[in-house]
Amino acid sequence: MTEDLVDKRKSLLEESEEHKVKRNELNSQASQFARERNELNNATRQYVEDAQKNKELRDQSNNDVQSLKEKRNELNDKANTLFEEIDALRGEQGTGSAAQSHEKKPSAKDVQRQIDQLEERQQTETMSKEKENELVDKIKQLRSELKDQEVEHEQNKEVRTRLIEAREFRKQASAIHAEVTEKAELAQKHHDLMVECYRKADKSREGADAKHKQFVEAQEAADAEHKQFLECQKQLRDYDKVLTGIRSKQKKVKSVKENKSARKEAETIFNAFKSGERLTTEDLLKLQRSKLI
């Protein structure tokens, strides 16, 4: 029976060690998944922060675009007012066939309006390179027409004075338009970066969620192994109690048997002593242990 219990305890001890090893492996995996999850969560936060920064820069650039547009439009309005005055002076001065010829030409104001509209399209619309080149060529053509009209009427002092002032307004408006284009491109750049950061944040967040799921699964499996390990430990303690009891009982039985045997031997020695036989030192010690002398 004792041998059977010892064998069972040995198997149980091996099973306990297996659960312990597996538990430790799963805990190690869970820790690794947790580290990877935390790294991905940190990356997600960084991507979101970067996206927010680019959003703020985009919005600032868009605000700059709006502010610059207002300034540009104010300058264009001033220039248009002067061109209206120039057109009025042209009408007053034109006679006969010359007047008829002028009537067929679009006014400087209308030409400038076309230029403004085309520049607005160039800035706001997405188009092919070929289409954009066509648009740029058209703007150059209209600017050339506008310049020709201005040169034609520069001989008149009143016209020339207004043209100089209108050109200055157009020059300033053109410089601001270049800033508008630059700011608009910058706004688009930050918008694209913001979108890319949010895309990366979504991807890393998905990765973090997947790692968290793996972490939970590994942790739950480790907890299950630990529970089985503790159950094995409890059963081992129960086996040890039983085996200790059996061995203690066996020891007592053996002791009783040994005492009986020693007592019997001592009685034999004692009888020999009474018969006058000579005893050895060992015989005397046995008699003492048996308390016969």
Side-chain angles (χ1 to χ4, degrees):
M1 179 178 178
T2 304
E3 292 180 359
D4 184 49
L5 288 174
V6 169
D7 290 340
K8 288 182 178 180
R9 185 188 182 283
K10 182 179 178 182
S11 297
L12 189 61
L13 182 60
E14 291 175 354
E15 181 183 348
S16 174
E17 285 300 310
E18 289 174 0
H19 289 308
K20 180 181 177 181
V21 170
K22 188 63 177 177
R23 178 202 64 188
N24 293 344
E25 289 177 353
L26 288 166
N27 277 330
S28 178
Q29 290 177 11
S31 297
Q32 180 63 30
F33 291 142
R35 284 193 294 272
E36 293 174 356
R37 176 202 61 193
N38 294 341
E39 289 173 1
L40 287 166
N41 279 331
N42 290 336
T44 299
R45 281 191 290 272
Q46 187 60 54
Y47 286 136
V48 171
E49 288 178 9
D50 291 344
Q52 187 61 33
K53 289 177 183 177
N54 279 293
K55 180 179 182 295
E56 292 172 359
L57 291 170
R58 180 204 64 183
D59 293 345
Q60 182 59 53
S61 294
N62 281 331
N63 290 336
D64 291 343
V65 166
Q66 187 59 37
S67 177
L68 289 168
K69 278 185 176 181
E70 291 174 1
K71 292 179 182 178
R72 181 198 63 188
N73 292 342
E74 288 176 6
L75 291 167
N76 280 330
D77 288 342
K78 290 179 180 180
N80 286 336
T81 299
L82 289 170
F83 281 122
E84 287 176 357
E85 294 176 6
I86 292 170
D87 287 337
L89 289 172
R90 287 171 57 196
E92 292 174 2
Q93 294 169 4
T95 58
S97 61
Q100 294 296 325
S101 175
H102 287 314
E103 288 174 3
K104 293 179 182 179
K105 295 180 180 180
S107 67
K109 179 181 177 182
D110 291 336
V111 173
Q112 187 59 50
R113 184 181 293 113
Q114 290 184 60
I115 292 173
D116 292 341
Q117 291 173 348
L118 292 175
E119 286 181 340
E120 184 73 16
R121 284 185 58 195
Q122 181 188 11
Q123 177 186 314
T124 58
E125 292 183 15
T126 302
M127 59 186 72
S128 65
K129 189 65 177 178
E130 182 180 357
K131 191 70 176 177
E132 185 176 6
N133 289 337
E134 291 178 3
L135 200 63
V136 170
D137 290 340
K138 182 63 177 177
I139 292 173
K140 288 181 180 177
Q141 178 188 340
L142 290 171
R143 287 191 185 281
S144 178
E145 292 177 11
L146 187 62
K147 186 175 181 180
D148 290 342
Q149 288 189 39
E150 292 172 356
V151 170
E152 182 180 346
H153 296 284
E154 276 186 341
Q155 302 304 318
N156 182 283
K157 183 177 179 180
E158 292 183 74
V159 172
R160 185 170 60 253
T161 300
R162 286 171 172 77
L163 274 175
I164 292 172
E165 191 174 359
R167 284 171 180 169
E168 181 58 28
F169 285 138
R170 288 301 186 197
K171 182 179 178 181
Q172 294 177 23
S174 179
I176 291 177
H177 178 72
E179 288 188 70
V180 168
T181 301
E182 181 181 343
K183 292 293 184 181
E185 290 175 351
L186 188 60
Q188 185 61 47
K189 174 185 175 181
H190 286 300
H191 176 76
D192 293 341
L193 287 172
M194 178 196 71
V195 171
E196 179 64 15
C197 285
Y198 277 131
R199 186 191 68 78
K200 289 181 178 179
D202 289 339
K203 185 176 180 180
S204 61
R205 188 181 292 109
E206 289 176 3
D209 291 343
K211 289 298 178 182
H212 181 68
K213 182 180 179 181
Q214 289 178 299
F215 161 75
V216 171
E217 291 173 350
Q219 193 65 63
E220 289 177 347
D223 290 344
E225 291 293 335
H226 182 63
K227 184 177 180 180
Q228 291 179 304
F229 167 76
L230 292 178
E231 179 61 27
C232 288
Q233 289 294 305
K234 179 180 177 298
Q235 291 182 34
L236 282 171
R237 288 193 294 272
D238 292 340
Y239 271 103
D240 287 341
K241 288 178 182 178
V242 172
L243 287 170
T244 299
I246 292 174
R247 285 166 180 163
S248 177
K249 185 177 180 180
Q250 289 176 338
K251 186 176 181 180
K252 286 181 180 180
V253 170
K254 181 179 179 182
S255 178
V256 170
K257 288 182 178 179
E258 287 177 349
N259 288 338
K260 286 182 177 180
S261 176
R263 178 77 178 181
K264 186 176 182 179
E265 183 181 3
E267 288 176 353
T268 301
I269 295 172
F270 186 68
N271 290 330
F273 172 70
K274 287 192 297 181
S275 300
E277 292 184 13
R278 186 177 179 178
L279 300 182
T280 65
T281 303
E282 181 66 24
D283 291 336
L284 290 173
L285 290 173
K286 288 180 179 179
L287 290 175
Q288 287 178 346
R289 282 197 296 269
S290 65
K291 298 180 180 180
L292 290 178
I293 61 171

